[in-house]
Amino acid sequence: MAENTSNTGIGQSVRRREDVRFLTGKGQYTDDINRPGQAYGVFLRSPHARARITSIDAATALEKDGVIAVLTGADMAADGLGDLPCGWTIHSVDGEEMKLPPHPALAHDTVNYAGEPYALVVANALAEARDAAEQVVTQFEELPPVVSPGEAQADGAPELYAGIPGNTCYRWELGEKDATDAAFESAAHVTSLEFENNRMLPNAIEPRACVAEYDAATQDFTLFTTSQNPHLARLILSAFVQVAPEHRLRVVSPDVGGGFGSKIFVYAEETTCTWAARRIGRPIKWTAQRSESFLTDAHGRDHLTKAELALDGDGNFVGLRVRTVANMGAYLSTFGSAVPTILYGTLLAGQYKTPAIHVSVDAVFTNTTPVDAVRGAGRPEATYVVERLVETAARELDIDPVELRRRNFIPPDAFPYQTPVALEYDTGDYGASLDKALELAGYAEFSARKAEAHSRGKLRGLGFSCYIEACGIAPSQLAISLGAGVGLYESGEVRVNATGSVTVFTGSHSHGQGHETTFAQIVSDKLGIPFDDVEVVHGDTARSDFGLGTYGSRSAAVGGMALVEASNKVIAKGKRIAAHMLEASEEDMDFENGVFSVRDSNRQLSFGEVAFMAYVPSNYPSDLEPGLSEKAFYDPKNFTFPAGSHICEVEIDPDTGVVEVVNFTAVDDFGIVINPMIVEGQVHGGVSFGIGQALMEHSRYDDTGQLITGSFLDYCLPRADDMPPMQVDLTTTPCTHNTLGVKGCGEAGAIGAPAAVMNAVTDALSIRDMNMPATAEKVWRAARGED
């Protein structure tokens, strides 16, 4: 066996092995999968934001060639299927449990947002299903909708659900209100802002899809689907919706073309197709059209916030007060309730030692698409609140925004640091990240660049954002106490083959992150074997133990650690085998670089030799089972806390309002980095996501609840030529509670970038505030002095 090489282990920029199949067209996505006898499904969707279904006439559709069935919400209800659940229970400040309206997979009485499915047409061919869907005649009685979060609680607003007064799901608070109010009463200065955190669409490059199959002979179901967490999908479909018993349901998530959070959740379409496959006795395939993705993929953000920062006479932060109204959409999505609470309010301390913080959140229902996690999930909203306030306070007090931040950073010697909003940060050095970012951004020379731009009739601005995020929601008991429906551990299995190669099974799922590379690096490094000898398997509930999947930048810190723990068990067993073979005591065995050796001797065995003896036990401990395969479930002791400093420089043409991001600097502390190249790619992607939110993206509805940004003609995404030159670098304070020292990186750019961009835009325009997105029209009007 070849020796492990130092250029493929932890810390090395190994090229992503999965890219070979993606770049050569050999990836297998859900829409590439076809089953024998497969039929096709097309969903009928509500044209109204809120309406009562009075009748569905499918007679003409059923007479069309190739049509197999038209199945309605009433059919599903008659079969006794449960509602789509929310997996996180939030309690209001008075202790009352959140209000949870019924959420059937197919609406059968009332539709509550434009695009909500209420029937499924199944035919032999996709074109036949589409034609038949147009022949179904549905009568609706329109009802008055509630569209914006600002009007949901207004006097006289329609009550969308019986028993949910004021359309309020919960009223949640965190922090010490009295202490915070006292801080404001004694403050020398108070900065206040009111803003909207604009609603976003996830826009993964691959639309959602599923292929559902039922085997009548075995009574087994197989669901191929675009999921970030197939085990969780199986649990929800079996235990809650009751489509099938868990042991009869296999969920396979093959190659997935991006998720950004939107593929965490269990949706109506895969639920309905799985149920319908048994009804008709044939596999059913459904792939979303892009217009369906706009209408029905969970949206993100959509907060209305009033925030205040109190400072003493020396510019020290003494209090933060935040009041947010969060739009949940028409229903509670799988984790929607946790985003504006556990993932938002707990991050409002930011990087600062503010002693008193209080946040209150009202979550409200509207007749819009359900809102849930989109890249960052609560953390971008929290960072935006904090960093816009800090920048504005610096301008009001005429203090350098760098100096104001430094004055209020949590110092390195204060860790572990207990914040006023529940979290305990384990480690960090925020000043180091900011110092490096300032150098890379050329901060000292900015005034010269600003003057040069002015000579050309352009406006230059510089903006800062010093963010922190919490990754790998943990530990499980804490998460459950805060309302999570399941523990948030992760599983891993390291299966050593007789020849010494290894197959790794993980409950995490890769949909662009590069797990097949980074997880192989971890195990290769740990076991001292060649990188190419490690295969990584994920995305199939029939092949791996229960796992929670990929979200919240948890894969390395939780999924990677499960593989470390499983590898430790392999090494421990290998030591017993090697000790027996070398006639030494187990306590005298060492393992390093793929070699088991007897301490203070030249007796040794390679990893491959021990693996072979584990399966061909001619000389083997009598009290030890053959084989060398170990599993582990890793439950982290705490969140991890990546943090960093982002600096954005913009140039504005006042005659057109066009904003050009001319430079972006990101210096992040992700702890120990497994693969620097992949991490840099994640930062670039995250920053582009954040720039998109700040300058372009906004999911908007009209007064009747119709989505008016329902295509790429109306919803603007950043393109390659919108992206600036980026300086990306790292500082490192290893995580103290996992042995890898990793923290997480996938969402950092999306968290830090929006505030940095908007701080730069408002600096260039010399204005106090502007709501995202800073479109050319808004900027042009601001440059002219218009409101």
Side-chain angles (χ1 to χ4, degrees), residues 387-562:
E387 291 303 298
R388 285 290 297 120
L389 279 173
V390 172
E391 198 91 356
T392 304
R395 295 171 189 172
E396 291 176 349
L397 295 170
D398 196 24
I399 300 175
D400 186 320
V402 173
E403 168 56 27
L404 186 61
R405 286 177 167 87
R406 282 183 174 143
R407 195 174 299 179
N408 288 280
F409 278 155
I410 301 165
D413 61 1
F415 292 97
Y417 181 82
Q418 178 63 54
T419 75
V421 279
L423 299 180
E424 183 181 270
Y425 302 164
D426 65 326
T427 187
D429 187 347
Y430 308 138
S433 295
L434 180 56
D435 289 345
K436 183 175 281 191
L438 291 169
E439 180 182 354
L440 291 172
Y443 181 56
E445 296 77 38
F446 173 68
S447 58
R449 296 195 297 273
K450 185 180 181 75
E452 189 278 330
H454 181 73
S455 71
R456 294 184 283 107
K458 301 295 194 291
L459 307 175
R460 279 250 173 171
L462 198 70
F464 299 86
S465 178
C466 295
Y467 76 93
I468 191 167
E469 61 168 320
C471 300
I473 303 171
S476 287
Q477 288 306 310
L478 173 62
I480 291 170
S481 72
L482 294 173
V486 294
L488 297 175
Y489 52 81
E490 194 49 84
S491 66
E493 179 182 357
V494 175
R495 187 181 299 174
V496 182
N497 302 310
T499 56
S501 61
V502 171
T503 303
V504 168
F505 298 86
T506 176
S508 296
H509 185 274
S510 180
H511 39 278
Q513 296 89 345
H515 293 170
E516 293 175 35
T517 300
T518 53
F519 283 170
Q521 286 181 259
I522 291 170
V523 174
S524 165
D525 194 274
K526 186 70 180 175
L527 299 181
I529 62 176
F531 170 79
D532 290 336
D533 282 1
V534 182
E535 176 193 17
V536 178
V537 176
H538 61 93
D540 188 343
T541 62
R543 300 192 68 185
S544 63
D545 283 341
F546 189 92
L548 274 299
T550 297
Y551 49 85
S553 302
R554 70 192 296 268
S555 292
V558 188
M561 276 302 301

Side-chain angles (χ1 to χ4, degrees), residues 16 111 129 154 187-188 198 223 227 281 295 404 451 455 517 593 751 764:
R16 297 192 345 159
V111 288
N198 44 320
L223 172 65
S227 175
L295 283 170
L404 186 61
S455 71
T517 300
N593 295 327
I751 293 167

